[in-house]
Amino acid sequence: MAVNNNIVPRPLTAEELAAREEGVYDSFANYLVFCSKCGHLAKTNMYVMRAEAYIDELGDRPCPGCGAQRGWILGYPANSKTGFVRF
C-alpha cells in the first residue's frame, strides 16, 4: 500500500464535499483515505475516483490504528488544497 507517513490528514471541507457531489473535483489533486477517528492513513496519492472506490473496498475492515469500523473517509493532507506535500 502506498502511504506517505509524513502526511497529517484532514477531511474534505463542506465546500469541497459539496463540489464533489456536483461532480466538480481537481483532476490533478492527490487524495487520501484515512480513519476519521484516529487519522490512520489507509492509502495516499490517489485520484478522487480511485480514493472513493478504495473506501468502498475497505468497507467494514477495522482501522489498524484504533479498531473503528466504517470510519474511512476521503481527505487531503492538512494545509493542502491540492493533495501535494513536500517531503
Side-chain angles (χ1 to χ4, degrees), residues 1-4 7 12 25-34 41-58 72-77 82-84:
M1 229 179 287
V3 174
N4 178 347
I7 295 174
L12 296 182
Y25 61 93
D26 184 346
S27 62
F28 292 104
N30 283 318
Y31 292 84
L32 49 91
V33 173
F34 68 100
L41 291 169
K43 197 166 186 180
T44 60
N45 303 323
M46 295 177 289
Y47 291 113
V48 68
M49 285 90 160
R50 180 63 193 121
E52 290 169 338
Y54 192 65
I55 289 170
D56 290 340
E57 289 172 25
L58 288 171
W72 302 109
I73 61 172
L74 182 65
Y76 274 141
T82 62
F84 292 98

Side-chain angles (χ1 to χ4, degrees), residues 16-26 48-49:
E16 291 165 339
L17 285 171
R20 180 64 193 124
E21 287 177 12
E22 294 175 12
V24 177
Y25 61 93
D26 184 346
V48 68
M49 285 90 160

